[in-house]
Amino acid sequence: MTLTVTPGARPGVAARATPAPARRRRPALPYLLLLPALLLELLVHLVPMLMGVVMSFKQLTQFFVRDWTAAPWAGLDNYAVSVDFDGAVGASLLASFGTTCLFTLVSVALCWLLGTAAAILLQDDFRGRALLRTLFLVPYALPVYAAVITWAFMFQHDNGLINHVLHDQLGIGDSRAFWLIGDNSFWALLTVSVWKGWPFAFLTVLAGLQNIPRDMYEAAALDGAGRWRQIRHITLPSLRPVNQVLVLVLFLWTFNDFNTPFVLFGRAAPEAADLISLHIYQSSFQTWNFGTGSAMSVLLLLFLLVVTGGYLLLTSRGRRPRRG
């Protein structure tokens, strides 16, 4: 209760007490609007994830496909088999993990380099810039399956465009190369991944460049700084927050990529391009050992969580202002 005095009140008359305005209650409408999205996220992601964790502790084979809950418990046996690098299953998983790490590092580096270079080159206004921006975004706008199938035809040994240009037109190599088998499959997969992923880096960096004031470049130019010094001392430091998020997203997308190798090679990828996502699929649906495949998936999830947490911790420390 608060006391308020009415203007012009007579002396000796007690001041009237008026109630204070009640606190406004937060409306429940925003939470009700978020409820369908939360339920959908629960059904689509969390429930299958929990089911996969439960499957990793079971001896789930083709004999229990109809009723996987009836499969006997295996405890940590599936995990022990997966991390036993002296055994056949663990050794193949370790080799696939190493291939995936190398593939991810090279792909993310090339995607970031091409995307950043293209965004910086198209930052200034010139004739035809809008057309080039549109063309650069075509790989990102195309459906994944249509784009990868097109690349698969281009990598064909006998009638593919790649061998026709390299061998028949340019005369590179003594014979036509096999791009979808053998060691060359790694470079074929890397080419498709970079072609498909660098436009996203280009679009992200291009959006980040819009937040850099043009006055900084004009002041640097007046001080005699060339284009490279401007990029080194203005552009790249200003893009650091954008690049931190971009690298993390590219890493997660590339490391978990299943569609590209599956469409390019089919159910069985060559050893040189055996990414861990396709390897887990083969361990689950080719050998019908869903328990071991689920254990591999859980191990992959834990690895990505650790890497993501460590990366966010390091980048957050770099963004904290220094005291003092």
Side-chain angles (χ1 to χ4, degrees), residues 96 99-100 103 189 254 257 261 269-270 273-280:
S96 177
T99 302
T100 307
F103 169 79
L189 180 61
T254 307
D257 190 12
D274 185 22
L275 299 187
I276 195 168
S277 58
L278 192 58
H279 184 86
I280 293 175

Side-chain angles (χ1 to χ4, degrees), residues 25-41:
R25 297 180 180 179
R26 291 185 177 181
L29 181 59
Y31 301 98
L32 293 177
L33 295 177
L34 289 176
L35 185 59
L38 294 176
L39 293 178
L40 187 61
E41 182 75 15

Side-chain angles (χ1 to χ4, degrees), residues 9-301:
R10 291 178 298 175
V13 178
R16 292 180 297 175
T18 58
R23 295 182 178 179
R24 295 182 179 179
R25 297 180 180 179
R26 291 185 177 181
L29 181 59
Y31 301 98
L32 293 177
L33 295 177
L34 289 176
L35 185 59
L38 294 176
L39 293 178
L40 187 61
E41 182 75 15
L42 179 66
L43 294 176
V44 174
H45 290 93
L46 295 182
V47 173
M49 186 184 302
L50 294 177
M51 292 176 61
V53 173
V54 175
M55 290 180 182
S56 65
F57 294 101
K58 285 178 169 289
Q59 296 179 0
L60 186 56
T61 59
Q62 68 270 26
F63 303 106
F64 301 97
V65 172
R66 296 186 61 181
D67 187 11
W68 66 272
T69 59
W73 284 93
L76 297 176
D77 293 344
N78 293 325
Y79 293 92
V81 172
S82 300
V83 298
D84 183 14
F85 302 133
D86 294 330
V89 176
S92 61
L93 180 62
L94 181 62
S96 177
F97 176 77
T99 302
T100 307
C101 290
L102 178 61
F103 169 79
T104 302
L105 291 177
V106 178
S107 179
V108 170
L110 291 178
C111 287
W112 177 85
L113 181 62
L114 293 176
T116 303
I120 292 175
L121 291 176
L122 296 184
Q123 183 182 11
D124 297 331
D125 190 12
F126 59 90
R127 181 177 298 179
R129 184 181 66 169
L131 178 60
L132 288 178
R133 286 182 174 181
T134 304
L135 292 177
F136 286 170
L137 293 177
V138 168
Y140 184 69
L142 286 177
V144 176
Y145 288 91
V148 178
I149 289 174
T150 303
W151 275 102
F153 280 111
M154 293 172 60
F155 280 123
Q156 291 296 322
H157 176 262
D158 296 327
N159 53 5
L161 180 62
I162 304 297
N163 281 334
H164 176 71
V165 173
L166 294 180
H167 180 69
D168 300 340
Q169 299 292 332
L170 301 179
I172 299 176
D174 299 333
S175 60
R176 293 172 176 264
F178 290 91
W179 293 101
L180 299 181
I181 60 176
D183 295 336
N184 290 331
S185 59
F186 178 85
W187 303 109
L189 180 61
L190 181 64
T191 301
V192 179
S193 177
V194 173
W195 178 86
K196 184 171 60 69
W198 81 268
F200 175 76
F202 162 73
L203 186 63
T204 305
V205 175
L206 189 63
L209 290 175
Q210 309 307 314
N211 296 324
I212 303 178
R214 300 297 302 176
D215 298 342
M216 300 178 63
Y217 293 103
E218 295 175 359
L222 292 176
D223 292 338
R227 185 63 182 270
W228 170 244
R229 294 189 63 183
Q230 294 179 17
I231 294 174
R232 182 180 177 183
H233 297 285
I234 298 177
T235 305
L236 294 181
S238 301
L239 289 175
R240 184 174 300 172
V242 176
N243 286 329
Q244 288 174 352
V245 178
L246 174 62
V247 170
L248 179 60
V249 172
L250 288 176
F251 170 79
L252 294 176
W253 282 359
T254 307
F255 207 96
N256 282 321
D257 190 12
F258 173 80
N259 296 329
T260 303
F262 182 80
V263 177
L264 192 62
F265 302 115
R267 296 184 177 181
E271 184 178 356
D274 185 22
L275 299 187
I276 195 168
S277 58
L278 192 58
H279 184 86
I280 293 175
Y281 168 81
Q282 295 172 358
S283 300
S284 301
F285 294 95
Q286 297 293 324
T287 62
W288 295 92
N289 196 339
F290 298 101
T292 304
S294 300
M296 294 179 181
S297 300
V298 174
L299 292 175
L300 175 61
L301 174 63

